[in-house]
Amino acid sequence: MLRPNGFRILCISLANLLAGIAEAAFLVISTGIALGVTASDSSLEIFSRFNMGITTSLWVAGAFIFAKFTLGTIALWLQSGLTETVVVNQRLKITELYFGATWEAQQDAPTGHLQHLLLGFSQEISGLLNSFNQGLSSMLSLLALIGVALFVDPFSTLIAGFALLILGIALSPIRKAIAQRSKRTASSQLDFAHGIAEYSSLGISIQSYGVSEPVKQNLGRLLKVEGKARRKMEFTLQAITPVYIASAYVFILIALSIVSRNETMSLDKIGPVALLMLRGLTYGQSVYFFLAMKRAMTGTFEQLNSTMNFYSRNKLRTGLEEVTGFDSLVFDDVTFSHENGTEIVKNASFSMQYGEILGLSGESGSGKTTILELICGLRSPNNGCILVNKTDLELINLNSWQKKYSLVTQEPRLISGSATENIKFFRENISIGDIEQAAQDALYLSDTSTHLNNLEMHQIGEGGSQLSGGQKQRLSLARALASNPPLLLLDEPTASLDIESEEKICETLNNLRGKVSILIVSHSKNVLKICDRIIYLKGGSITSTDSNSESE
Ligand SMILES: Nc1ncnc2c1ncn2[C@@H]1O[C@H](COP(=O)(O)OP(=O)(O)O)[C@@H](O)[C@H]1O
Ligand SMILES: [Mg+2]
């Protein structure tokens, strides 16, 4: 995650290192001044090497404070930039992987997970990076302090360094426990995100069945599990600090008892070294806290990686051949089954020529929608092949194929915005004239509800919540017609319409006869009447194909 930011990290490290050196120098000089003043010396020996007057020393110490502040601020500024870049890039990467994945993979991912990944996880990463920055700056300051302390008194410094190392090793079981607890926290967070996303989409059903109470209880349970797991992890994470401090103090006591027995130590050495060591211990605390924080992200990182791997593994693969028009569609002995193994489409063979209106009928669950999804390239057959213009769909560039058909799904999927935006549906090349024509052909415009006629201004609400079922269906049909594609795939497009509207839609489709090809899934006699041929499905197998004499 940090790899592409090497240069920036180098700059941050450098600024922190210099700031650390400046601080260490300040500490040494100021203890020197204090000792000098108590011994009433007019000149000081700094680092046991340089002789300076007290006034000069004060100025030099001031300069070091200024340097530490300036360098520290520069490092902070660079650090916040690093956090921003990493979080934005990570989010872009997940979004890109998600939209680059197959529709099946997108569908399989539990609701709410992507949102959780994009919002919650990114925030956690930002928290971790801040602690990384602090850890890095403390680490470098610590190194600087140790360097300066070595200069003053190598022996005591080595002992203190050794103590820090022992402390780090002693804290490692706690870090392991944090990692374990973090996994539990992250998975309970995902469960909660999934629960809230799923339940909140139920809306009217919860109200009309009067089940708000049990739904609230279910969510409450998920929340409590999450809360408990998080508390355990937070407790262990925060425990790092008191454990560290208590152990560090014990080491100080031990060090003092050793020093008190060593009569060769002089005060001008012990003073600065003790101050450096105390400061070093606080830096050490911040380094160890970052290491613990990193463990606290174990669960989050594992989920992030497994989600990203899942989407990368299920990347949408597409052929290279461009489709320039639509001549024919052939299903050659196509079999399709879902991951659970049940065959949904069995040895289906049929063909369709340009200009035809083909009906697809059969009982619910017989595989009609699945056949449309196979034609769209949203699913791939397990056996047999689908030929578009005599070319295997696997070899065709899906993007070029998508431009040749329009699919009206069984459940209209609308976006919040105006009717115009819904008909246009992110396709900038569709003109306002085409939009109006499509709205008219799909009977979206209305004699009675005049507000509907203002395509541009009328906001239809989230998911079309301000429209009736029939109006949503007509708007979906208008979206499909607007790009004038050579192939229309319609999945029960009149299921929510009254007989009169259905007849008018059939008239529109009939008028398109010969100009486009239409594959229409329906149970309605009216709709099937306009079809040139009808394929009947039962349990995924084609049972009969009728030539429709009534349409002749
Ligand atoms: N993701 C899935 N995993 C397993 N089975 C599925 C999945 N989606 C749909 N099915 C099954 O596939 C069958 C055909 O579904 P579908 O094509 O939507 O039927 P139709 O449109 O004819 O009503 C149904 O029996 C359904 O239970
Ligand atoms: Mg269906």
Side-chain angles (χ1 to χ4, degrees):
M1 222 181 283
L2 294 175
R3 226 165 284 142
N5 294 291
F7 182 67
R8 213 188 309 218
I9 293 177
L10 192 72
C11 292
I12 296 172
S13 310
L14 198 65
N16 277 321
L17 184 67
L18 293 175
I21 292 176
E23 185 184 10
F26 164 77
L27 289 175
V28 170
I29 295 173
S30 53
T31 41
I33 294 171
L35 291 171
V37 170
T38 41
S40 9
D41 280 352
S42 58
S43 136
L44 305 174
E45 197 178 79
I46 307 288
F47 297 130
S48 322
R49 281 168 181 76
F50 310 112
N51 277 308
M52 276 195 279
I54 287 197
T55 320
T56 323
S57 305
L58 282 171
W59 277 107
V60 173
F64 277 124
I65 299 178
F66 181 73
K68 151 97 182 154
F69 171 76
T70 314
L71 288 162
T73 312
I74 292 173
L76 262 183
W77 185 72
L78 290 170
Q79 283 161 10
S80 57
L82 176 69
T83 306
E84 179 197 340
T85 315
V86 171
V87 169
V88 168
N89 286 346
Q90 197 63 22
R91 284 182 169 171
L92 281 176
K93 208 162 148 189
I94 301 176
T95 317
E96 208 171 283
L97 282 174
Y98 175 79
F99 285 104
T102 62
W103 176 71
E104 275 174 314
Q106 291 175 355
Q107 243 200 347
D108 284 348
T111 0
H113 280 199
L114 185 73
Q115 288 88 328
H116 181 61
L117 278 177
L118 285 174
L119 295 172
F121 284 12
S122 297
Q123 254 161 23
E124 285 189 46
I125 288 167
S126 141
L128 176 72
L129 271 178
N130 283 336
S131 127
F132 165 75
N133 290 331
Q134 266 165 18
L136 178 71
S137 109
S138 299
M139 182 75 201
L140 293 166
S141 304
L142 186 63
L143 286 179
L145 275 184
I146 291 176
V148 174
L150 271 175
F151 208 50
V152 179
D153 183 40
F155 181 66
S156 334
T157 313
L158 283 177
I159 291 188
F162 183 65
L164 266 178
L165 199 68
I166 300 275
L167 257 175
I169 294 168
L171 290 175
S172 101
I174 303 189
R175 287 200 294 270
K176 279 203 186 107
I178 294 173
Q180 279 307 321
R181 293 184 165 186
S182 131
K183 286 184 202 172
R184 249 167 272 152
T185 311
S187 87
S188 59
Q189 271 175 357
L190 271 192
D191 289 344
F192 176 64
H194 174 56
I196 196 108
E198 184 158 64
Y199 293 154
S200 63
S201 69
L202 294 178
I204 189 172
S205 305
I206 292 181
Q207 297 280 344
S208 63
Y209 280 88
V211 290
S212 326
E213 225 17 76
V215 166
K216 253 185 348 208
Q217 277 169 11
N218 275 358
L219 267 184
R221 209 169 310 128
L222 291 175
L223 258 178
K224 280 181 199 150
V225 171
E226 198 267 347
K228 198 163 252 162
R230 181 196 291 274
R231 183 202 148 170
K232 279 189 184 167
M233 191 194 71
E234 289 278 325
F235 171 74
T236 327
L237 178 62
Q238 299 301 334
I240 279 275
T241 306
V243 171
Y244 174 89
I245 290 176
S247 324
Y249 285 171
V250 169
F251 271 113
I252 289 177
L253 278 184
I254 297 172
L256 278 178
S257 77
I258 294 173
V259 169
S260 63
R261 274 177 219 146
N262 184 346
E263 269 132 41
T264 59
M265 284 254 178
S266 65
L267 191 63
D268 67 330
K269 271 189 179 171
I270 296 175
V273 169
L275 200 60
L276 290 173
M277 286 308 129
L278 279 174
R279 191 72 184 103
L281 282 175
T282 47
Y283 282 139
Q285 181 186 330
S286 160
V287 171
Y288 288 136
F289 189 73
F290 160 68
L291 292 178
M293 226 3 222
K294 205 172 124 221
R295 293 299 188 94
M297 292 284 292
T298 313
T300 302
F301 277 136
E302 276 183 6
Q303 275 170 0
L304 197 65
N305 281 338
S306 84
T307 306
M308 290 181 34
N309 285 341
F310 174 72
Y311 289 133
S312 329
R313 264 201 323 276
N314 290 289
K315 210 170 157 174
L316 185 68
R317 263 174 271 281
T318 169
L320 295 174
E321 290 205 27
E322 300 274 327
V323 180
T324 50
F326 175 69
D327 298 325
S328 66
L329 172 78
V330 175
F331 260 53
D332 185 6
D333 202 23
V334 170
T335 296
F336 171 81
S337 51
H338 283 287
E339 297 231 316
N340 62 9
T342 25
E343 286 188 346
I344 308 295
V345 177
K346 292 174 200 151
N347 306 98
S349 294
F350 66 88
S351 65
M352 175 179 184
Q353 302 302 319
Y354 178 76
E356 246 189 320
I357 302 183
L358 186 66
L360 188 54
S361 198
E363 60 197 24
S364 150
S366 57
K368 305 179 296 294
T369 299
T370 311
I371 286 188
L372 292 185
E373 290 164 355
L374 284 162
I375 296 174
C376 292
L378 298 172
R379 300 189 184 280
S380 303
N382 301 74
N383 269 310
C385 67
I386 301 169
L387 304 171
V388 170
N389 305 342
K390 303 201 173 84
T391 307
D392 192 337
L393 190 50
E394 306 270 323
L395 304 175
I396 285 174
N397 176 288
L398 276 183
N399 201 258
S400 75
W401 175 221
Q402 284 155 353
K403 292 199 170 74
K404 298 294 170 269
Y405 68 77
S406 281
L407 169 71
V408 175
T409 53
Q410 221 166 337
E411 303 262 327
R413 302 274 179 189
L414 300 171
I415 49 173
S416 38
S418 66
T420 301
E421 282 170 292
N422 269 283
I423 298 175
K424 194 173 194 149
F425 201 61
F426 309 103
R427 298 166 296 179
E428 288 312 316
N429 55 341
I430 291 179
S431 71
I432 196 76
D434 284 337
I435 289 173
E436 279 164 5
Q437 185 62 49
Q440 200 150 23
D441 290 343
L443 301 180
Y444 180 74
L445 303 178
S446 164
D447 308 329
T448 46
S449 323
T450 45
H451 61 285
L452 289 184
N453 297 345
N454 198 337
L455 295 177
E456 194 98 41
M457 298 306 290
H458 179 230
Q459 298 290 314
I460 65 160
E462 196 182 317
S465 59
Q466 292 173 23
L467 298 181
S468 75
Q471 287 162 352
K472 284 188 213 170
Q473 208 155 40
R474 290 175 233 210
L475 198 53
S476 300
L477 185 61
R479 178 189 289 171
L481 295 175
S483 57
N484 301 308
L487 175 63
L488 279 174
L489 303 168
L490 311 176
D491 201 350
E492 312 201 20
T494 61
S496 321
L497 301 185
D498 53 278
I499 301 277
E500 205 179 319
S501 308
E502 184 180 77
E503 277 172 358
K504 286 190 188 155
I505 293 282
C506 287
E507 208 180 298
T508 301
L509 296 178
N510 217 359
N511 288 339
L512 292 171
R513 184 185 298 279
K515 287 177 259 178
V516 297
S517 317
I518 306 175
L519 176 51
I520 182 162
V521 172
S522 186
H523 301 286
S524 155
K525 282 209 172 70
N526 277 329
V527 175
L528 294 177
K529 227 166 28 189
I530 63 161
C531 298
D532 300 316
R533 277 185 305 138
I534 305 163
I535 295 171
Y536 290 96
L537 270 183
K538 192 170 184 182
S541 304
I542 295 176
T543 52
S544 63
T545 310
D546 283 1
S547 228
N548 205 340
S549 49
E550 284 173 78
S551 68
E552 304 295 307

